[in-house]
Amino acid sequence: MSKMMKIDVSMYGIAEILHWCHDRNKGRVPGVDTAGFDKMKGLLAEKPQSGDYFTLDQFWKKRVALDLTEDEVATIDRCLYDIPNFDSEPLPQIRHKFWPQEVATH
């Protein structure tokens, strides 16, 4: 069983993850049908339906702590790196701003 990791990410970050892992995946990266991804879909489904800018802005900035397995984190990392490169597109903003960076230890 994989070790669990607590990842702090914004709702905007979750939307980016689901965009690159589900919408753009097209079967290229396996393992996006796990409980962690289902939880992210559920959180995103709570998006307010109003067109009020302030309410939507607060929703997208809201941060949540997700419990994800190491495999799910590796899959997300692969989605955020491999798929844009397959399509010759710039890496998504979440990769630089929101996704936790690996800390190199020597």
Side-chain angles (χ1 to χ4, degrees):
M1 187 168 159
S2 289
K3 189 174 116 185
M4 295 299 280
M5 300 175 74
K6 190 167 279 301
I7 303 293
D8 181 50
V9 67
S10 68
M11 295 305 287
Y12 170 76
I14 290 174
E16 281 286 297
I17 290 168
L18 291 176
H19 172 75
W20 288 100
C21 291
H22 276 274
D23 304 341
R24 298 291 300 274
N25 183 22
K26 299 186 180 97
R28 292 184 272 199
V29 179
V32 295
D33 54 354
T34 61
F37 283 98
D38 289 342
K39 180 169 170 92
M40 284 189 271
K41 285 184 208 169
L43 287 168
L44 209 55
E46 296 171 5
K47 180 179 141 195
Q49 298 304 310
S50 75
D52 176 35
Y53 176 82
F54 180 76
T55 304
L56 288 172
D57 186 54
Q58 291 301 308
F59 172 79
W60 290 118
K61 289 179 180 176
K62 181 174 82 171
R63 298 193 73 77
V64 293
L66 293 173
D67 288 320
L68 301 172
T69 66
E70 286 179 330
D71 294 338
E72 288 169 334
V73 171
T75 299
I76 292 168
D77 204 38
R78 199 166 154 219
C79 287
L80 295 177
Y81 184 77
D82 288 349
I83 291 175
N85 284 337
F86 290 149
D87 298 340
S88 297
E89 292 190 23
L91 293 178
Q93 288 295 313
I94 182 180
R95 181 126 180 118
H96 307 291
K97 290 184 178 178
F98 302 101
W99 193 241
Q101 301 299 314
E102 291 293 321
V103 178
T105 56
H106 297 229

